[in-house]
Amino acid sequence: MFRTELRSAGKTTHLQVCAHAAELLAGADFGPHRYQHVVIDEAQDLHPAQWRVVRAAVAEGPDDLFITGDPHQRIYDSRVSLHALGIPVTGRSSRLRINYRSTAEILAWSVGVLADTTVEGLGGDSTDTLVGYRSLLRGSRPHLTGYASEHDEITALVDHVREWLNQGVKTDEIAVCTRFNVLQDKVHARLAAEGIPAVKIRDRPGAHIEGVRLASMHAMKGLEFRCVAVLGVTASAVPFTRDVTPVDVDNLAHANDMLKERCLLFVACTRARERLVVSWSGQSSPFLSSVPGSR
């Protein structure tokens, strides 16, 4: 029914385009494989349909694919088994253990967000672990505080931003991220009222645009800043109930959804290179209770 309605409207989905592309690449009319090598970054975010395009684009061989990814940063519904898609990685993979972005203090705290959860590797036939994952950089510990109200939380944020600016940090080297746009808009209005320029990542500001960067947790993926403040880490927002399958409906789906929520917070916090602030008003996220140094 869905496909019929799409065809009648002359429309298609991105994944349908991917499926058709894979068919064309694998078809006889296309001749030999079009590429000798393919490089894939952020591999954990690719959907099976996208992987089929990659597999069809290059012939199997010793140097056919170079894949990099981190399953601990899997924040979308894109769980795949590369082995099942004809991309075996067993015996051909290496784990990178050194983080060159965040300080050891930020990294150690952020890793605690994932607790003792089991993360499936990209190959689909093994688990991945952060044991031995470390940073060679040192700095200050993350600042974690709960507040009586959202207003107090935002007021404290303004103080942190002013402190960073006074220390010589540029506005575009500071990011504030929230789970929802409602809180992000409140932060934007407050910073503007305080005379602090701010721009939203979703508006795609150029590097020449001055302003503290504001973003949702999802939009922080792939970015990095000297200073990051993660606001609104409350029990109702992280995890967000509407994004989590009830345990009595499907226990496995519930566990996967909860892991995805933990990974989202992990991604947001590890965007910070030097300073990290995590705050909430009211009841804090249950994910913080398992992290040493949280209160």
Side-chain angles (χ1 to χ4, degrees):
M1 177 66 72
F2 174 67
R3 292 183 177 180
T4 301
E5 292 182 359
L6 281 177
R7 282 197 298 269
S8 62
K11 297 181 179 180
T12 187
T13 69
H14 174 72
L15 294 181
Q16 286 178 323
V17 171
C18 290
H20 186 52
E23 292 175 358
L24 290 175
L25 287 168
D29 293 340
F30 228 82
H33 293 280
R34 295 292 298 263
Y35 304 98
Q36 292 181 314
H37 312 284
V38 175
V39 178
I40 303 99
D41 192 17
E42 302 288 358
Q44 73 281 348
D45 293 334
L46 266 65
H47 186 277
Q50 296 169 316
W51 278 112
R52 292 187 181 95
V53 174
V54 171
R55 179 67 285 171
V58 59
E60 294 185 37
D63 298 313
D64 53 348
L65 301 172
F66 183 85
I67 302 169
T68 63
D70 182 358
H72 297 88
Q73 296 189 40
R74 187 183 283 131
I75 61 176
Y76 301 108
D77 293 319
S78 54
R79 299 171 63 85
V80 299
S81 169
L82 296 186
H83 181 77
L85 293 171
I87 308 175
V89 297
T90 303
R92 305 173 66 188
S93 61
S94 299
R95 285 189 173 93
L96 304 179
R97 296 298 189 189
I98 300 180
N99 182 303
Y100 293 95
R101 177 176 57 233
S102 303
T103 64
E105 291 78 8
I106 291 174
L107 181 63
W109 185 88
S110 299
V111 167
V113 168
L114 297 178
D116 297 323
T117 52
T118 300
V119 176
E120 185 179 287
L122 293 177
D125 54 357
S126 63
T127 58
D128 205 331
T129 175
L130 289 176
V131 173
Y133 192 43
R134 66 192 189 280
S135 171
L136 304 181
L137 308 173
R138 300 308 299 264
S140 58
R141 294 180 179 178
H143 184 95
L144 305 123
T145 309
Y147 298 91
S149 69
E150 196 175 74
H151 179 272
D152 292 342
E153 183 181 5
I154 296 176
T155 297
L157 165 71
V158 173
D159 292 339
H160 283 297
V161 172
R162 287 197 184 280
E163 178 183 359
W164 292 333
L165 293 175
N166 290 336
Q167 293 172 352
V169 181
K170 299 178 181 178
T171 55
D172 62 351
E173 296 175 321
I174 300 172
V176 178
C177 77
T178 61
R179 182 60 192 271
F180 306 117
N181 290 331
V182 172
L183 179 55
Q184 183 185 141
D185 291 340
K186 293 178 181 179
V187 170
H188 187 269
R190 181 63 182 277
L191 290 176
E194 297 288 340
I196 300 174
V199 292
K200 297 178 180 179
I201 292 291
R202 66 172 180 260
D203 293 333
R204 299 182 179 181
H208 63 287
I209 301 298
E210 182 183 2
V212 173
R213 270 41 181 174
L214 308 180
S216 66
M217 290 185 179
H218 285 88
M220 292 288 282
K221 187 76 168 59
L223 304 178
E224 62 178 73
F225 301 88
R226 287 183 62 184
C227 305
V228 172
V230 184
L231 269 65
V233 188
T234 65
S236 60
V238 188
F240 184 43
T241 303
R242 286 175 53 185
D243 285 354
V244 177
T245 303
V247 66
D248 58 340
V249 172
D250 189 319
N251 186 51
L252 181 58
H254 174 80
N256 289 336
D257 290 342
M258 290 294 284
L259 175 58
K260 188 171 60 176
E261 291 288 299
R262 284 187 182 273
C263 289
L264 180 61
L265 181 57
F266 172 77
V267 166
C269 293
T270 52
R271 302 308 94 191
R273 298 203 307 263
E274 300 173 15
R275 302 289 181 86
L276 172 64
V277 168
V278 178
S279 64
W280 60 93
S281 58
Q283 185 178 357
S284 65
S285 166
F287 296 160
L288 300 181
S289 61
S290 61
V291 188
S294 299
R295 65 181 189 276

